[in-house]
């Protein structure tokens, strides 16, 4: 069928343009334009990038005003149709624009922007003839400055406007004049941020007798050419030109001559940038499964073989061999010609993790993580789209890997909050994974030692939810090692006994004995809730951001104070700006303080510190871990980074400096997050032959999250936590939508926020949804607020929030979105911002 009309979502971020626009398909592009194609289209006076979301037949064309598509940007559409469908689903589910969903799915390299290219207008070119000299003869009307520009453009063929402006500074007006006179013409083309990497190769074009004849034909002067041809014939495959030049020490001219004689061909071929090019990974074979692993493997394999959608929640204690299960099920998936996606939290995409997947699947694996350059990431992504790999492993956004025939999606550490994107589109990769798997009839494995309450509750209750996962459990470690003994240390008691150090006596003794025995220690500091602000001990002054209601963070390296919300920075004061006191204290990043104290208590101790400061450089993370593995460190000290996925045989002690820093945060998941973190950290100790020991220092030793984490008792923790959630109607007993409104004017904002909440209430009442969640009914909706947000002002904009809490399967997202649109429409003040966060993870 011939489609003549394409519906295009344009890259113009505004509410008004969040719908498909019609464009006609020029003859030359027919057959090439598909759903998912990326195109350049005229929009207003500009050319913008867009995505084709559907095609229509000729007959549906309603007017001649429809403009044609200007440019087709890729021959193979970057998005397969199922991802376009997924973007539509995401926009509905998360109340975000289509363009933001589509943009989230492609690598940054393809977020092209229009560039203006300038060339000499066609008719002008003809009248000037070929020689630039004739310009001066034929065009007496041009001034000297104009001539200079036109001559330059003509000589270059076509240049970007930016380039021209740099070359002729201050003469933009003249260029503009030349364009409006029609001497120069302008085209807009979408330019990608990154290009395919090309290399020149050279190969012989002759063989056998022909080659013999060629070789004997060279004169003495052409000795070098002969050498090159001989070399090419010996190797027999195309070689990179660079390589030939450097190994034979010849010039490009020599090879060029050979080409002119017809004995060789120089070609540009595209190469993939490979971030792991120079790394060798030791191959591994599947391990003999333990009985527990075997049960799990069989269940998942059966589902894979069925080729129907299914979800499994794999609850396995740390070190129970979940990763081995992932590896073996992936093997099964790809042996049936289907592909697999593995999602891991960014922070645990450690070299160790990479090694395990590369070791098993080698070049079948593409890696997507944020430490890659745009170009590297783009190339990994192309390997996926072009079917050159079968497994993609990466953080959150790897869920959009453009595989055509997905069989399996693994989500490791499924409880991690980093799976939720905090910027638009505010999607949760778990829900996206489930939806994508349904599209493909694929299997999802959600793995964790501490499943999120949402997943666990869904699996346990198998309620009305047809996507409820099947629960699979693994309670033993294949190594036979036991979970480490965990001791809770009451820091209040330490203080009472006169110990003011950040190390309890027990932890101190523990570290000392590890030093003696040559074993290793991991020290963990919870960064959440651990502020690094500056405070005056005389008057209590705390340095805050002038634009945002939040305290500034101290950065030791640059000795300044920075706002993490708006980027404001100021030198750190040495006296208090309020009272002039010199007793102004800097709390450096928590880890630095711990490091300092360790050095004091244990002279000569070797500490490997891992935090945002020491791992900002590329490869730093890897180097630090390698140093620790090679036992160049006695202590590995760090934040969240040391809690996940690390596996060192000689670590026999884990210390948690302060377990409860995050417990007092205004977040209903505070206890859950603390429990998860403590369990993770404790799992780092004694994973091999040597038994492990863990000390958790806390000021709240009775808190159930601390108590149950120390007992490795997930079930008891969940039981208490669910009781609490049920009482307050928090997830998993309800769904939440957080709406944040912001504006520079406080009174106006407050009124708008109140109207907004009122409108929701009214509409919900009319629909029969509104009602207290305490009442016994399967459908209920309540809206709380507006109240000032926990950070009440950011970048000089005041913030208020409302929380919609509901139960039932009504389209509440649709309702909230509708009211947000009407609010905007009625106010006609585009500076009011309304942000909608469905299933929020961050309540700050
Ligand atoms: P998890 O992902 O659950 O934390 P891992 O997959 O990292 O657990 O396994 C923990 C350790 O047990 C690893 O060193 C791994 O090589 C080993 N292991 C896993 N499965 C087996 C098995 N079937 N036989 C022997 N060792 C195993
Ligand atoms: Zn002061
Ligand atoms: Zn600020």
């Amino acid at each position: 069928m011939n489609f003549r009309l394409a519906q295009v979502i344009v890259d113009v971020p505004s509410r008004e343009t969040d719908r498909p626009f019609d464009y006609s398909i020029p003859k030359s592009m027919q057959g090439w334009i598909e759903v998912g194609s990326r195109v350049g289209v005229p929009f207003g006076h500009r050319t913008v990038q867009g995505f084709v979301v559907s095609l229509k037949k000729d007959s549906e064309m309603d007017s001649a005003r429809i403009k044609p598509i200007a440019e087709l940007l890729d021959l193979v559409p970057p998005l397969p149709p199922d991802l376009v469908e997924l973007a539509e689903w995401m926009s509905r589910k998360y109340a975000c624009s289509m363009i933001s969903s589509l943009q989230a799915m492609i690598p940054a390299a393809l977020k092209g922007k229009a560039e203006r290219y300038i060339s000499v207008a066609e008719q002008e070119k003809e009248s000037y003839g070929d020689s630039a000299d004739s310009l001066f003869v034929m065009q007496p009307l041009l001034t000297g400055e104009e001539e200079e520009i036109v001559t330059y453009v003509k000589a270059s063929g076509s240049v970007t406007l930016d380039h021209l402006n740099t070359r002729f500074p201050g003469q933009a007006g003249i260029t503009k004049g030349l364009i409006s006179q029609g001497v120069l013409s302008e085209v807009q083309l979408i330019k990608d941020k990154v290009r395919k990497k090309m290399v020149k190769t050279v190969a012989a074009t002759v063989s056998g007798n022909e080659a013999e004849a060629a070789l004997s034909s060279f004169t003495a002067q052409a000795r070098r050419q002969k050498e090159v041809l001989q070399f090419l014939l010996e190797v027999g495959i195309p070689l990179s030109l660079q390589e030939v030049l450097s190994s034979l020490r010849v010039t490009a001219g020599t090879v060029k001559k050979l080409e002119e004689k017809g004995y060789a061909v120089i070609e540009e071929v595209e190469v993939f940038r490979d971030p792991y090019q120079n790394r060798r990974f030791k191959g591994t074979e599947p391990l003999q499964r333990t009985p527990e692993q075997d049960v799990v493997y069989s269940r998942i394999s059966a589902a894979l073989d069925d080729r129907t959608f299914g979800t499994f929640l794999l609850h396995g204690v740390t070190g129970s061999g979940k990763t081995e299960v992932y590896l073996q099920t992936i093997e099964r998936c790809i042996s049936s010609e289907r592909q697999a996606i593995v999602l891991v939290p960014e922070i645990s995409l450690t070299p160790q993790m990479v090694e395990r997947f590369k070791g098993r699947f080698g070049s079948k694996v593409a890696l997507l993580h944020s430490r890659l350059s745009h170009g590297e990431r783009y190339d990994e992504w192309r390997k996926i789209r072009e079917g050159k790999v079968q497994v993609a492993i990466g953080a959150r956004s790897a869920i959009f890997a453009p595989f055509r025939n997905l069989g399996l999606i693994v989500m490791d550490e499924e409880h991690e909050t980093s799976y939720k994107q905090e910027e638009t589109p505010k999607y949760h990769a778990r829900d996206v994974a489930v939806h994508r798997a349904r599209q493909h009839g694929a299997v999802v494995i959600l793995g964790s030692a501490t499943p999120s309450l949402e997943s666990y509750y869904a699996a346990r209750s198998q309620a009305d939810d047809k996507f409820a996962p099947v629960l699979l459990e693994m309670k033993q470690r294949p190594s036979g090692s036991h979970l480490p003994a965990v001791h809770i240390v009451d820091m209040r008691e330490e203080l009472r006994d006169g110990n003011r150090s950040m190390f309890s006596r027990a932890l101190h003794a523990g570290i000392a004995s590890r030093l003696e025995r040559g074993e290793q220690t991991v020290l963990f500091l919870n960064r959440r809730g651990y502020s690094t602000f500056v405070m005056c001990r005389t008057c209590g002054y705390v340095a805050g951001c002038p634009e945002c209601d939040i305290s500034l963070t101290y950065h030791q390296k640059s000795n300044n104070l920075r706002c993490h919300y708006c980027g404001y920075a100021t030198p750190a004061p040495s006296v208090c700006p309020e009272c002039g006191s010199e007793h102004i204290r800097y709390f450096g990043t928590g880890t630095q303080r711990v490091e300092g104290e360790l050095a004091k208590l244990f002279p000569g101790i070797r500490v490997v510190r891992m935090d945002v400061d020491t791992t900002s450089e590329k490869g730093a993370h890897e180097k630090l871990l390698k140093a620790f593995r090679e036992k160049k460190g006695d202590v590995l000290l760090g934040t969240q980074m040391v809690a996940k996925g690390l596996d060192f045989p000689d670590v026999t002690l884990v210390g948690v400096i302060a377990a409860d820093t995050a417990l007092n945060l205004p977040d209903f998941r505070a206890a859950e997050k603390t429990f998860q973190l403590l369990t993770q950290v404790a799992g780092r100790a004694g994973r091999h032959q040597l038994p492990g020991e863990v000390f958790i220092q806390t000021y709240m030793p009775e808190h159930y999250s601390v108590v149950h984490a120390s007992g490795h008792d997930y079930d008891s923790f969940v039981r208490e936590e669910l009781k609490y959630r049920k009482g307050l109607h928090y997830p998993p007993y309800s769904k939440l939508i957080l709406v944040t409104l912001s504006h520079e004017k406080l009174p106006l904002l407050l009124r708008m926020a109140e109207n907004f909440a009122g409108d929701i209430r009214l509409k919900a009442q009319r629909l029969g949804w509104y009602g207290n969640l305490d009442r016994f009914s399967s459908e209920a909706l309540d809206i709380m607020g507006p109240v000032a947000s926990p950070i009440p002002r950011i970048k000089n904009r005041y913030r208020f929030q409302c929380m919609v809490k509901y139960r039932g399967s009504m389209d509440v997202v649709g309702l909230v979105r509708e009211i947000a649109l009407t609010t905007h429409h009625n106010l006609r003040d585009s500076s009011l911002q309304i942000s909608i966060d469905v299933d929020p993870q961050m309540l700050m």
Side-chain angles (χ1 to χ4, degrees), residues 287-288 290 293 317 319-324 356 478 647 687:
L287 300 171
Q288 176 82 39
T290 64
Q293 281 174 326
V317 298
S320 60
K322 295 185 289 297
T323 310
E324 184 62 29
R356 290 179 81 173
D647 189 359
R687 290 168 69 90

Side-chain angles (χ1 to χ4, degrees), residues 536-541 575-581 583-584:
C536 171
R537 300 181 96 190
T538 309
C539 75
Y541 160 85
V575 292
C576 172
E578 291 280 307
C579 74
S581 157
H583 295 285
I584 186 152

Side-chain angles (χ1 to χ4, degrees), residues 164-315:
L164 210 55
N165 286 336
T166 328
R167 177 67 182 68
F168 298 99
Q171 301 192 16
I174 299 174
T175 306
K176 214 168 150 191
L178 286 167
I179 295 171
S180 60
Q181 287 170 46
V183 178
L184 296 180
S185 73
E186 178 211 344
V187 272
Q188 293 189 20
L189 294 172
I190 303 287
K191 195 163 158 261
D192 290 337
K193 288 200 186 122
V194 173
R195 313 209 147 254
K196 290 177 184 170
K197 188 172 173 182
M198 308 295 279
V199 292
K200 284 200 171 129
T201 64
V202 50
T205 52
V206 287
S207 61
N209 289 341
E210 255 186 310
E212 292 299 321
L215 285 175
S216 53
S217 75
F218 287 103
T219 59
Q221 287 96 323
R223 187 177 46 85
R224 306 292 277 164
Q225 293 172 38
K226 187 174 175 180
E227 272 174 38
V228 174
L229 183 57
Q230 242 160 355
F231 185 67
L232 292 176
L233 286 167
E234 267 164 35
V235 180
I237 52 165
L239 291 175
S240 101
L241 181 61
Q242 204 49 50
E243 205 177 313
V244 173
L245 299 186
S246 60
S247 38
L248 297 182
R249 296 174 187 282
V250 293
T251 65
T254 309
V255 182
K256 195 95 187 116
K257 291 239 177 60
L258 206 57
E259 189 186 29
E260 280 160 15
K261 287 181 181 163
Y263 296 148
V265 55
I266 300 175
E267 270 181 324
E268 282 229 315
V269 298
E270 119 188 34
V271 290
F272 291 95
R273 283 159 275 228
D274 182 354
Y276 291 90
Q277 197 169 26
N278 302 318
R279 284 278 309 275
R280 295 214 160 270
F281 293 95
K282 213 169 92 222
T284 64
E285 291 297 319
L287 300 171
Q288 176 82 39
R289 291 186 292 274
T290 64
E292 275 188 337
Q293 281 174 326
D294 200 54
V295 171
V296 169
Y297 175 80
S298 314
R299 287 292 298 274
I300 298 172
S301 297
L304 275 174
D305 296 350
D306 269 355
R307 294 183 173 244
T308 51
F309 164 72
T311 308
F312 295 93
L313 177 60
L314 176 53
H315 177 206

Side-chain angles (χ1 to χ4, degrees), residues 486-496 502-504 507 655-664 674 678 695-707 710:
V486 180
H487 314 283
I488 300 175
V489 184
D490 186 345
M491 289 308 274
R492 296 169 307 187
E493 227 165 81
E494 294 290 316
L495 208 60
R496 249 178 266 136
M502 60 176 87
F503 295 100
S504 60
L507 182 55
V656 178
I657 307 287
D660 33 39
T661 50
L663 275 176
N664 296 316
T674 298
L678 293 179
F695 290 99
I696 297 179
Q697 304 189 151
T698 173
Y699 291 92
M700 302 168 86
E702 316 81 13
H703 195 282
Y704 63 99
S705 65
V706 177
V707 172
S710 74

Side-chain angles (χ1 to χ4, degrees), residues 300-457:
I300 298 172
S301 297
L304 275 174
D305 296 350
D306 269 355
R307 294 183 173 244
T308 51
F309 164 72
T311 308
F312 295 93
L313 177 60
L314 176 53
H315 177 206
V317 298
T318 53
S320 60
K322 295 185 289 297
T323 310
E324 184 62 29
V325 169
Y326 305 152
L327 290 168
Q328 296 196 20
T329 47
I330 292 167
E331 179 86 65
R332 187 154 184 134
C333 167
I334 62 179
S335 70
S336 69
E337 306 295 314
R338 288 183 297 167
Q339 301 96 37
I341 295 176
V342 183
L343 300 176
V344 296
E346 180 75 49
I347 207 162
S348 67
L349 197 51
T350 55
Q352 268 184 335
M353 196 73 177
V354 170
E355 217 157 282
R356 290 179 81 173
F357 283 84
K358 281 276 192 187
R360 195 68 60 89
F361 302 114
S363 59
K364 292 190 182 122
V365 183
L367 270 158
L368 301 165
H369 60 77
S370 65
R371 283 188 293 273
L372 301 182
S373 68
H374 277 334
E376 286 170 344
R377 211 180 146 89
Y378 173 49
D379 284 0
E380 293 293 292
W381 177 85
R382 276 195 305 137
K383 284 187 211 161
I384 297 167
R385 195 194 52 184
E386 290 166 16
K388 294 194 164 68
V389 293
Q390 286 73 48
V391 183
I393 165 165
R396 184 174 64 220
S397 65
I399 191 56
F400 303 120
F403 283 129
R404 304 251 160 189
N405 202 0
L406 261 180
L408 178 63
I409 301 174
V410 173
M411 182 179 239
D412 190 31
E413 314 275 9
E414 68 88 35
H415 61 275
E416 271 291 314
T417 41
S418 66
Y419 283 125
K420 177 82 194 297
Q421 174 151 304
E422 296 299 338
E423 308 97 62
T424 311
K426 298 178 179 171
Y427 67 90
H428 198 301
R430 192 201 297 129
D431 297 322
V432 178
V434 168
H435 191 82
R436 235 194 137 191
R438 275 174 61 215
Q439 292 178 311
H440 285 257
V443 169
V444 181
I445 306 177
L446 306 173
S448 175
T450 51
S452 66
L453 287 219
E454 282 90 342
S455 298
Y456 191 74
Y457 180 74

Side-chain angles (χ1 to χ4, degrees), residues 545-550 552 562-568 793-796:
C545 174
E547 308 249 302
C548 316
D549 283 339
I550 188 125
L552 294 169
R562 266 181 246 163
C563 171
H564 280 184
Y565 285 89
C566 71
Y568 170 87
R793 193 169 54 120
I794 294 182
K795 289 189 209 176
N796 256 333

